[in-house]
Structure formats: structure tokens, C-alpha cells
Amino acid sequence: MNKSQLYNSDLISIKNGDRKAFDNFYVAYFDRIFVLLLFFSKSREVAQDLSQETFARVWESRASLNPENSLKSYTRRIAKNLLQDYFRKIAVRNKHEKNLQAADQVENKTMDRVLDSELRNLLEEAVKKLPPDKQVIFRMSRYEHLTYAEIAAALNITPKAVERHMARALQYLRTYLTEKAGYQLPVCLLFFSTLSQ
């Protein structure tokens, strides 16, 4: 009996549900399928998984096997189809991940702009509620970036007076923003938020 007849005989036996014939075919042909899948996938784990799935599918579809066809060709075709499905899923997943990353970046930038804008608006609202003298000193310090000495000279008051006004203004602003925004805002954020305008 030649090899072709042997494999044809195996196919008929497998088609009829002969588990031993299938096990023999599995042992004889598994390595070839594994090497084929390893060559294309470049991953032993993927090749192992797809090889197992290939033979599982051969067994599951045994009733529809055609005795006129080659069992080896049929098995290779299943392996190639599984490999194509694997690459298709990888491509879709990679594209999906890239899209998600791009969406996350856009969302984060948008959220940052919204939060930054909300904070600036809330801060400006709070500054407008300061007494006029403290409002002027705060704006000169945070918006115009003048030193306490420069503010003192411009307003004809002492640098210590400027410092006291700023301390009270910042305390008020912190309290106001805590009540309005619902969280404690450090003084340094008041400084940085005004600089970002």
C-alpha cells in the first residue's frame, strides 16, 4: 500500500470516527503543521495554539471529509485559514488600539483645556470679589508679574503691606475656590493658573 492509499485509508477511518486513526495522523503530521505556522507567525506559542486548533477542527469536521481529497491538504488549508484569521485579528486589534490611543490623547487634551479654562474662569470670578486694593495688588503680582517691591513703589506703600494684602487675597481665593470647586487648591496652582493665560 503506497502513502497516498495509506492516507486515504486514514481519512476514511477518521471520517467514520476512528479515534486511533486520527491520533496516528496527529502524531505523524503535527510537526509539519507546527513548522508551517511557526514560519509565518514567528511565535512558538501562536504556532502551538493554532496547530492544536487545526487538528481539533479536522476532528470536529470529520463527518464532512471527502475521501477523494487529501487529508494533508485539507489540514494545511485549515491551518492557513486559522493563520489568516489570526493576522486579521491582530491587524484589527492594532488599528483599534491606535484609534483608542489617538482618541485618548484628544480627550485628554480637550479635558485639560476645559479644566484649565474652568479654573481660570473660576479664579477670575473670585478675583473680582476681592476688595479693590487687594484685587489691584493680586493682578499686578500674578498677571503683570511684578515683584512686591515694584508693586509697593507703584502704589506708594511698603513691600510688607503688599505681602500682607497678597496673603489675605490668596487666603480668600483659596477658600472661595474650595467652596466653588469642591477641592482644596494649593497656592502654587493659583500662581501657575494665572501664568498660563
Side-chain angles (χ1 to χ4, degrees):
M1 184 183 289
N2 62 35
K3 282 188 177 181
S4 173
Q5 290 172 318
L6 175 64
Y7 280 116
N8 186 262
S9 170
D10 284 345
L11 187 149
I12 294 169
S13 297
I14 292 168
K15 180 178 175 67
N16 293 329
D18 186 336
R19 185 67 200 210
K20 187 174 181 190
F22 175 77
D23 290 344
N24 290 338
F25 175 69
Y26 176 91
V27 168
Y29 203 55
F30 181 87
D31 286 347
R32 289 190 188 184
I33 293 298
F34 175 79
V35 169
L36 172 75
L37 293 169
L38 179 61
F39 178 79
F40 288 107
S41 71
K42 310 294 189 233
S43 165
R44 293 189 70 82
E45 185 180 343
V46 169
Q48 183 70 30
D49 289 347
L50 293 183
S51 297
Q52 296 288 355
E53 180 64 20
T54 296
F55 284 92
R57 297 230 180 150
V58 170
W59 179 251
E60 288 166 5
S61 62
R62 64 190 178 277
S64 62
L65 290 173
N66 184 347
E68 301 296 320
N69 296 332
S70 162
L71 183 58
K72 291 197 298 184
S73 295
Y74 179 72
T75 305
R76 276 197 307 272
R77 188 164 62 251
I78 290 175
K80 287 177 182 176
N81 288 341
L82 287 172
L83 189 63
Q84 286 175 344
D85 288 346
Y86 167 76
F87 282 129
R88 199 175 295 117
K89 285 174 188 172
I90 290 292
V92 168
R93 186 169 68 220
N94 288 343
K95 184 178 179 183
H96 184 61
E97 284 175 359
K98 284 179 185 175
N99 289 342
L100 280 178
Q101 287 172 357
D104 282 347
Q105 288 173 353
V106 169
E107 184 180 345
N108 288 342
K109 285 178 184 175
T110 303
M111 185 61 75
D112 287 346
R113 282 198 296 270
V114 167
L115 291 175
D116 192 43
S117 174
E118 284 181 3
L119 178 59
R120 278 202 305 270
N121 291 341
L122 200 55
L123 181 58
E124 184 56 31
E125 181 184 302
V127 169
K128 286 178 180 175
K129 293 185 181 295
L130 287 169
D133 54 345
K134 289 178 178 53
Q135 189 175 147
V136 167
I137 290 171
F138 180 84
R139 289 184 186 282
M140 290 175 80
S141 172
R142 296 305 189 241
Y143 297 158
E144 298 173 31
H145 313 298
L146 299 178
T147 65
Y148 286 180
E150 289 170 332
I151 296 170
L155 298 178
N156 201 25
I157 58 175
T158 66
K160 274 286 184 195
V162 173
E163 189 179 335
R164 279 194 307 274
H165 280 296
M166 279 299 295
R168 289 178 185 143
L170 290 173
Q171 181 58 47
Y172 171 79
L173 293 173
R174 253 202 331 234
T175 302
Y176 184 89
L177 291 174
T178 299
E179 290 172 359
K180 290 289 184 178
Y183 59 88
Q184 184 70 35
L185 193 70
V187 174
C188 63
L189 280 187
L190 291 176
F191 179 70
F192 288 121
S193 63
T194 56
L195 285 183
S196 66
Q197 294 194 61

